[in-house]
Amino acid sequence: MKTCAIVVEYNPLHNGHLYHINKARELSGCDYLIAITSGNIAQRGDLSIIDKFTKTRCALENGVDLVIELPFIETVQNANVFAKGAVDIMKMLQVDSMCFGSETNNLDNLKEIADTPINPDHLKEAMRDGSSYPKAYSLLADSLYPNDILAVAYLKALKGSDITPISIQRTNDYQSTVLADISSAKAIREAVRNNLDYHIATPCIIDHPVFIEGLFHDIRMKLLLSDPEELAKIHLVSEGIEKLLIKNALKYDDFKSFMDASISKRYTRSRIQRILIWLLVGIKDEDMPRYKQTYARILGFKKEAQGLLRYYKANDIKLITQLKHIPASYKDIEYKANIMYALAHKDTEYSRYLIERELQGPVII
């Protein structure tokens, strides 16, 4: 029995992701394909345009056998933490291979970079500074994109394991806003935002879209009504960034202007958005778990994958199916993050549904 894992966000799942699913199956020869996904909040600090149970159903209907949630505290982080969290779950699940997309699709060069001591999140800075690392840097210098950075982070996390990495060529520009048969998730989100027909690019139905700018009122209240010293204790807040955010929250009354004024070379859009998410959830450094626990919460599975689940049970690999079974040090943070996401929806009926759905079991098809 062979298993292959993919790390996904599906914000939302699109036709390019279907290519990834099919290539992962083809190149790995797996019997079961496992998707490890961010939940309701994406790695770059965006709210997922579709909730995690909707994205899970869409994934299962389109070629994935088992969907596992990456914990919030490992999702809304830099590439290094995100990748390690996902790979730790793969190791727990004893997967045989993982398949990821990259813009360069040069596995040897990516491995060479992964062998250096540099943090994947600082790759671009190292290359701009002319650091004397492997020649692979010069090959990637003009083409290093987020999926290359994640690929290096995955490869670092895979070191010492028996998991075989498989790289495939990314088929579209993740920043493109052109809607076509193969479009970026960003293009689909922009189409939904502008009430345009998005169905050519995704098999998912997006009935209750939500965007981070819809939380700007709450963000401003949090920044302007909180003690700055308390804000400085929030996880990911550092180097006095709270002072800049407070100043901009007072100065600007729309999210775009606020973000444009807050972004810098040191603080990218993704980094600022991650900070804002942690501010809203209200988790301080002192609230974070004192030690890491790896667990696997099932968001959904196909009935045909029950053989895999029986294997895990027989080998005492414990999978979690409900929020209440999550380790205590993680559970409170997960619950707060999902409450925040649910309340971001202006449809109060759907908001209530999401709160109740979080307490239930996985999607089964």
Side-chain angles (χ1 to χ4, degrees), residues 121 204 308 336:
D121 293 287
C204 297
L308 176 62
K336 287 180 178 178

Side-chain angles (χ1 to χ4, degrees), residues 298-317:
I298 300 177
L299 290 181
F301 62 91
K302 286 181 180 175
K303 292 178 181 177
E304 293 90 338
Q306 289 182 340
L308 176 62
L309 299 181
R310 284 194 292 270
Y311 169 82
Y312 286 143
K313 184 175 181 180
N315 287 273
D316 201 30
I317 299 173

Side-chain angles (χ1 to χ4, degrees), residues 27-316:
L27 296 174
S28 71
C30 66
D31 300 296
Y32 298 104
L33 183 65
I34 302 169
I36 300 171
T37 182
S38 55
N40 288 326
I41 316 294
Q43 188 259 339
R44 296 187 181 100
D46 279 318
L47 301 186
S48 179
I49 196 170
I50 53 176
D51 70 87
K52 62 186 178 184
F53 293 106
T54 299
K55 78 166 74 173
T56 293
R57 180 171 294 277
C58 194
L60 296 174
E61 290 173 346
N62 287 282
V64 173
D65 297 303
L66 174 65
V67 180
I68 301 293
E69 181 177 19
L70 183 63
F72 169 82
I73 65 173
E74 293 168 348
T75 293
V76 188
Q77 299 281 0
N78 61 42
N80 200 38
V81 177
F82 178 87
K84 186 177 186 307
V87 170
D88 283 345
I89 292 175
M90 292 179 208
K91 292 175 181 177
M92 174 186 172
L93 298 181
Q94 300 176 2
V95 304
D96 297 292
S97 61
M98 82 165 292
C99 180
F100 53 80
S102 78
E103 285 81 6
T104 58
N105 195 32
N106 190 323
L107 189 57
D108 288 338
N109 285 342
L110 293 171
K111 284 181 176 179
E112 190 174 358
I113 294 175
D115 285 337
T116 71
I118 197 168
N119 185 318
D121 293 287
H122 301 148
L123 280 176
K124 287 187 177 180
E125 290 84 347
M127 289 157 59
R128 281 197 297 263
D129 293 344
S131 299
S132 56
Y133 287 103
K135 292 180 181 178
Y137 277 145
S138 62
L139 299 176
L140 294 177
D142 296 324
S143 57
L144 193 66
Y145 293 94
N147 286 281
D148 289 323
I149 294 173
L150 274 172
V152 171
Y154 293 141
L155 292 168
K156 279 184 174 290
L158 286 172
K159 286 182 180 298
S161 77
D162 295 324
I163 301 171
T164 300
I166 302 171
S167 175
I168 64 170
Q169 182 72 54
R170 186 175 173 87
T171 57
N172 64 298
D173 179 0
Y174 85 105
Q175 286 284 21
S176 172
T177 56
V178 177
L179 199 65
D181 180 54
I182 301 293
S183 294
S184 68
K186 180 177 181 179
I188 298 169
R189 293 195 299 270
E190 287 302 306
V192 173
R193 190 194 308 272
N194 295 312
N195 295 313
L196 300 176
D197 186 358
Y198 59 85
H199 294 89
I200 187 176
T202 173
C204 297
I205 303 300
I206 305 172
D207 286 334
H208 301 277
V210 64
F211 302 95
I212 190 172
E213 57 261 39
L215 288 171
F216 188 50
H217 175 74
D218 304 273
I219 290 168
R220 290 186 82 194
M221 286 190 65
K222 182 75 174 184
L223 287 168
L224 298 177
L225 299 182
S226 300
D227 184 334
E229 292 184 0
E230 290 302 304
L231 291 178
K233 298 176 183 177
I234 296 292
H235 185 61
L236 295 191
V237 175
S238 62
E239 302 168 331
I241 187 63
E242 73 281 358
K243 297 174 185 176
L244 175 64
L245 297 178
I246 291 169
K247 182 184 78 172
N248 289 338
L250 189 61
K251 185 176 182 180
Y252 300 103
D253 56 11
D254 69 280
F255 186 70
K256 183 180 184 305
S257 298
F258 168 84
M259 288 296 295
D260 288 345
S262 303
I263 293 168
S264 64
K265 287 184 178 180
R266 189 171 189 82
Y267 283 90
T268 63
R269 176 175 297 276
S270 296
R271 189 173 177 185
I272 293 292
Q273 288 189 168
R274 285 194 290 263
I275 289 170
L276 296 178
I277 291 296
W278 282 97
L279 283 172
L280 287 177
V281 178
I283 302 301
K284 300 177 182 178
D285 280 329
E286 64 189 40
D287 302 323
M288 295 291 285
R290 294 180 181 274
Y291 60 94
K292 176 178 169 56
Q293 292 179 273
T294 298
Y295 66 90
R297 181 187 180 184
I298 300 177
L299 290 181
F301 62 91
K302 286 181 180 175
K303 292 178 181 177
E304 293 90 338
Q306 289 182 340
L308 176 62
L309 299 181
R310 284 194 292 270
Y311 169 82
Y312 286 143
K313 184 175 181 180
N315 287 273
D316 201 30

